């Protein structure tokens, strides 16, 4: 029985280098530009955090219409949104991920 390797492996061409530089990798490679000088260029056995949500405050359907009569009410709503974001970020930081997708 034959196995379709195209289903399990992908050949990725990266500009630069020679054919002798090519090799087969066991695992996953993510090619990402380094955006900060302190970012690691290689991570062996990374702790990966997969998110299926955004890292921003999303108002629910029932909260889309809010009537604000005082400036303090608006300030409190902004404060609650900020607390929500800080809680999510604290949860992410607590897991100490090397990579977030």
């Amino acid at each position: 029985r034959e196995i379709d390797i195209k289903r399990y492996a992908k050949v990725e061409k990266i500009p630069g280098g020679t054919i002798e530089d090519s090799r087969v990798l066991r695992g996953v490679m993510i090619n990402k530009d380094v955006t900060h000088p302190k970012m690691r260029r290689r991570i062996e056995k990374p702790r990966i955090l997969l998110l299926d949500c955004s890292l921003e405050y999303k108002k629910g359907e029932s909260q889309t219409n809010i009537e604000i009569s005082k400036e303090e009410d608006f300030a409190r709503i902004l404060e609650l949104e900020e607390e929500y974001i800080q809680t999510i970020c604290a949860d992410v930081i607590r897991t100490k991920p090397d990579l977030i997708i």
Side-chain angles (χ1 to χ4, degrees):
R1 181 174 161 190
E2 286 189 33
I3 297 175
D4 182 13
I5 63 168
K6 291 179 186 175
R7 184 174 174 195
Y8 300 101
K10 180 179 180 185
V11 176
E12 185 71 29
K13 298 174 187 172
I14 300 173
T18 64
I19 192 74
E20 290 79 22
D21 295 330
S22 301
R23 65 179 96 162
V24 175
L25 298 176
R26 185 175 187 88
V28 176
M29 182 182 111
I30 297 175
N31 190 12
K32 173 76 174 98
D33 293 332
V34 176
T35 57
H36 191 275
K38 291 188 177 181
M39 282 179 67
R40 291 182 280 171
R41 297 180 190 281
R42 182 181 179 94
I43 304 171
E44 303 256 348
K45 297 185 179 180
R47 293 174 55 102
I48 300 173
L49 177 62
L50 298 174
L51 294 178
D52 66 347
C53 62
S54 61
L55 293 176
E56 62 185 10
Y57 184 77
K58 294 278 188 186
K59 293 180 175 70
E61 288 295 321
S62 62
Q63 298 175 348
T64 54
N65 295 325
I66 299 174
E67 189 173 316
I68 300 172
S69 57
K70 295 183 276 184
E71 188 177 328
E72 298 84 31
D73 295 340
F74 184 71
R76 180 62 183 145
I77 290 170
L78 291 178
E79 188 179 306
L80 289 172
E81 290 179 6
E82 182 70 23
E83 288 173 11
Y84 175 79
I85 296 297
Q86 287 179 353
T87 301
I88 290 177
C89 290
D91 290 343
V92 167
I93 291 167
R94 190 171 28 259
T95 64
K96 298 179 182 173
D98 296 305
L99 178 65
I100 300 173
I101 299 176

